Amino acid sequence: MILGVGTDLANIERIQRTLDRFGDRFRNRVFTETEQKKAERRRDVAGTYAKRWAAKEACSKALGTGLRMGIAWRDMAVTNLRTGQPVMHVTGWAAERLREMTPPAHEAVIHVTLTDDHPWAQAFVVIEARPMTANPEELPAGT
């Protein structure tokens, strides 16, 4: 079952201007250390930050709050699997909100996709609730 959907479109040039103007103050307020390391290794630093900005905005929308009610930018973080697939992690208030909106006997899964085509970066987030599978030892014989 789908619990929430969010999307956001970020302007890469606007993120670049913000980086130029506020530098580490902006980076440290919005992005985790891991996200910063990833972005700073990339050729398109501003584009990488813009995609993660969009992902955080999209995640906050999928959580049903936007960036209010105590949610912090760093409560949401994007990493990548070895395959390059982005993965959204939530901590703090965002994780608490996710627990509140997840029905009993379900686990929440956050799906995220990112794209960019200069000057735009875009993210989609879908939060899914999956029924928890029973422990195989608890299933009736022959199942």
Side-chain angles (χ1 to χ4, degrees), residues 5-6 12 19-20 32 38 40 46 49-50 52 58 63 66 79 87-88 92 103 106-108 111 114 123 131 143:
V5 177
I12 296 168
L19 288 165
D20 293 343
T32 65
K38 169 82 172 184
E40 297 299 327
Y49 280 124
R52 278 146 181 75
L63 288 168
T79 61
V87 178
M88 178 65 71
H106 287 72
E107 63 181 344
H111 304 276
L114 309 173
T143 310

Side-chain angles (χ1 to χ4, degrees), residues 83-125:
T83 60
Q85 177 184 351
V87 178
M88 178 65 71
H89 306 274
V90 292
T91 59
W93 190 90
E96 184 180 318
R97 171 69 180 143
L98 184 61
R99 278 190 298 277
E100 289 172 0
M101 63 190 289
T102 305
H106 287 72
E107 63 181 344
V109 179
I110 302 174
H111 304 276
V112 61
T113 186
L114 309 173
T115 191
D116 65 298
D117 187 7
H118 194 86
W120 302 107
Q122 186 173 30
F124 286 95
V125 170

Side-chain angles (χ1 to χ4, degrees), residues 68-85:
R68 58 184 175 85
M69 295 174 55
I71 198 165
W73 286 103
R74 292 170 55 106
D75 285 347
M76 301 165 287
V78 178
T79 61
N80 296 85
L81 300 177
R82 287 183 171 207
T83 60
Q85 177 184 351

Side-chain angles (χ1 to χ4, degrees), residues 6-98:
T7 185
D8 192 66
L9 185 65
N11 185 288
I12 296 168
E13 293 168 358
R14 178 175 166 245
I15 296 296
Q16 181 64 64
R17 288 191 302 272
T18 304
L19 288 165
D20 293 343
R21 182 171 179 193
F22 298 104
D24 285 342
R25 196 166 103 204
F26 171 66
R27 283 182 194 90
N28 294 332
R29 179 173 178 237
V30 176
F31 302 100
T32 65
E33 185 177 325
T34 301
E35 289 174 309
Q36 290 179 46
K37 286 179 182 177
K38 169 82 172 184
E40 297 299 327
R41 286 193 314 260
R42 302 298 299 261
R43 186 172 41 112
D44 183 11
V45 173
T48 302
Y49 280 124
K51 285 186 280 191
R52 278 146 181 75
W53 171 279
K56 291 167 187 265
E57 285 273 8
C59 185
S60 71
K61 293 171 185 174
L63 288 168
T65 63
L67 287 163
R68 58 184 175 85
M69 295 174 55
I71 198 165
W73 286 103
R74 292 170 55 106
D75 285 347
M76 301 165 287
V78 178
T79 61
N80 296 85
L81 300 177
R82 287 183 171 207
T83 60
Q85 177 184 351
V87 178
M88 178 65 71
H89 306 274
V90 292
T91 59
W93 190 90
E96 184 180 318
R97 171 69 180 143
L98 184 61

